[in-house]
Structure formats: structure tokens, C-alpha cells
Amino acid sequence: RMKIRDKILIQKYYLNVFNGIFLALGLMLLTFGLWLFFDRNNLFSVLFSSGENQLVAYISCMLLGIGSVITFTSAVGFLGSVKEIKCLLVAYMIVQILVFVTQMAISVLIFVKKEEVHNQWNNRIDEVISEYGNESLAEQEPVWNILNAVQHNMECCGRYNVTQWERNKNKENRTQIPCSCIKSSLKKWFCDVPRDSTYSMGCEEYLNTWFENNVLILTAITISLLITQIFLITLTGQLFRNIRKNNIWPNE
């Protein structure tokens, strides 16, 4: 029969392995949160931070919070397992359970609100297209530059097609379209070009793919965290019990 001390050593090894994975995933969330918080000119921030809509601020704060808790918790778990401090192992297990429940609640919320967020995403794109080139909204120029970059690099025009630009009221004449809708290097908002020379495809497919990929990455990290936490909670509980047994019967 395996001695308790041997079991403790094996459990400590696997606990620290999974704790390292847990820390790496937490740092990914922390990095993603920092990116959203500080880089306000990325496509995600542009399309979800307008007026009263501060979804990106909420998401970045949530990711920063969870990432920071995971980083701190990993340090507590590592110290508790290496030094075999029972109170730290208990605290580690309790925080793991709380984080697990929180992540489950967030995952359910994301699933329930996904369609609403997608509609909000499309509405914001339409809003940017309507405001594009308005001289009284000079503070929106970084947003328009991102839209231009998307249209130019992906060779697309408008959300669904070029006709969407007919709604824009900031053109000198009705036939103008953004210069980014054609193969042009002109540094101005609108160009006079024939309709048949513009990119025929809308940008919606590309934007939706970009959005889905980012959601998929976050979902994969969250699922990986949940699976890792199940192992961590189980291993921590077993390690705690064996350390207590070893203290009572050290020679067994």
C-alpha cells in the first residue's frame, strides 16, 4: 500500500502542474482585459463603446478582475502546496469554487445575451457608416479610419453592400462613396467614382467572422479554466486530507 507521504508528493506535483496551467490561462484573460482597457482604437472597442454603451469597459474590467484573482489564487495555491500550509489550501479551494461559480454564471450570461450583442454590433456598424465624414464629429476620426482600414484591406464596402452608403448625409453629392471602397490611396473621406468600380462584397461576413473568432477564443479559455479548476479543487481536497492524516499518523 502506498504511504501517505508518497501520495502527498504525487498530489503536490500534479496540483502544481494544473496550477501552472490555471495561471497561464488567467494571464491570457488578464492580457486580453488590458488590451481592451488601454487600446481604445481596436475594432472591438470601436463597435462597443459609443455614447451610453460601455460594454467594452465592463468586459475589460471583468476580465481584469478575474485574471487578477486567478493570478493571486495561483500564488496562494503554490505556496500552500509547497509549504503544506493547510489554511492556505482551504482558502485556495474556497476561492477556486467561487471563481468556478462566477465563470459559470458569466458563461450562461454570454450565451443568453449573444444574439442581443450581435444585433448591437450590427447597429453600431450602421451608426458609424451614417456618421462617417461628419465634420462636426472630428473626435470620431479614429473610428472612421478603422472602418476605412477594414474596407480597404478586406476589399469590401458597407456592412452588406455599397448601397448602404446612400444613407450617409455627409457627402458632397449622392454618388460619392468612401475612397476605401475602391483601389485608391487617396487620403480623403469620399471619392467620386462609378458604382460599378467599387468593391461589391459587404464587410458583414468578415466582421462577423472576426467577432465570432474572438468570442470563440474567450469561450475556449473559459472552458479550459473550468476543466482545470475541477482537477484543482479535487486535488486540493485530497492533498489537504492526506496532509492532515500525515500530521496525525506521520509514520503511516
Side-chain angles (χ1 to χ4, degrees):
R1 190 164 66 92
M2 187 180 292
K3 291 183 178 181
I4 292 178
R5 193 64 213 167
D6 294 333
K7 290 181 180 179
I8 289 173
L9 292 174
I10 293 171
Q11 287 164 353
K12 283 169 65 174
Y13 171 78
Y14 283 108
L15 180 61
N16 285 324
V17 168
F18 281 105
N19 196 36
I21 296 171
F22 183 65
L23 175 61
L25 293 169
L27 289 174
M28 287 182 191
L29 289 181
L30 192 61
T31 303
F32 203 92
L34 287 170
W35 171 61
L36 290 178
F37 188 80
F38 288 107
D39 183 11
R40 292 309 173 97
N41 287 329
N42 64 74
L43 183 59
F44 199 84
S45 295
V46 163
L47 296 179
F48 282 111
S49 294
S50 61
E52 297 180 357
N53 176 19
Q54 295 300 319
L55 183 60
V56 164
Y58 299 142
I59 291 174
S60 61
C61 289
M62 182 180 69
L63 292 177
L64 287 172
I66 294 175
S68 300
V69 169
I70 288 173
T71 304
F72 175 75
T73 305
S74 297
V76 171
F78 179 77
L79 184 62
S81 64
V82 171
K83 299 294 184 181
E84 298 183 12
I85 304 172
K86 288 185 288 184
C87 62
L88 287 183
L89 289 174
V90 171
Y92 179 68
M93 192 158 51
I94 291 171
V95 175
Q96 285 285 2
I97 293 170
L98 291 174
V99 173
F100 183 88
V101 172
T102 302
Q103 286 177 254
M104 285 293 291
I106 291 171
S107 299
V108 171
L109 184 64
I110 290 173
F111 180 78
V112 171
K113 295 286 187 180
K114 185 178 179 182
E115 192 62 32
E116 180 182 328
V117 171
H118 189 264
N119 291 334
Q120 186 178 322
W121 167 275
N122 286 331
N123 291 338
R124 177 54 180 154
I125 296 171
D126 293 343
E127 182 184 328
V128 171
I129 289 174
S130 298
E131 294 174 346
Y132 180 93
N134 189 335
E135 293 181 358
S136 64
L137 297 173
E139 72 278 1
Q140 294 294 314
E141 286 192 14
V143 178
W144 304 336
N145 286 328
I146 289 176
L147 179 60
N148 279 334
V150 170
Q151 293 189 141
H152 178 74
N153 294 330
M154 302 309 299
E155 297 188 353
C156 57
C157 189
R159 179 163 67 86
Y160 44 87
N161 58 43
V162 67
T163 59
Q164 190 172 17
W165 284 102
E166 294 176 359
R167 300 179 183 180
N168 185 285
K169 307 300 182 185
N170 304 308
K171 302 176 290 187
E172 292 180 4
N173 60 69
R174 190 169 176 274
T175 60
Q176 283 188 326
I177 59 167
C179 298
S180 57
C181 280
I182 58 172
K183 292 184 187 302
S184 170
S185 58
L186 293 175
K187 301 298 181 183
K188 58 181 183 176
W189 300 122
F190 295 104
C191 287
D192 291 288
V193 293
R195 178 69 59 83
D196 57 8
S197 66
T198 64
Y199 300 132
S200 58
M201 187 184 78
C203 300
E204 185 171 36
E205 184 177 346
Y206 162 73
L207 292 170
N208 285 344
T209 301
W210 185 92
F211 174 75
E212 292 290 341
N213 286 343
N214 278 275
V215 171
L216 188 62
I217 290 170
L218 276 177
T219 303
I221 293 174
T222 301
I223 292 172
S224 300
L225 277 170
L226 292 173
I227 294 171
T228 304
Q229 283 177 280
I230 292 171
F231 285 105
L232 286 172
I233 292 168
T234 304
L235 284 168
T236 305
Q238 291 175 346
L239 180 60
F240 175 82
R241 285 195 300 271
N242 284 325
I243 289 174
R244 190 170 61 177
K245 282 182 184 178
N246 190 59
N247 291 338
I248 298 172
W249 300 295
N251 296 322
E252 186 173 320

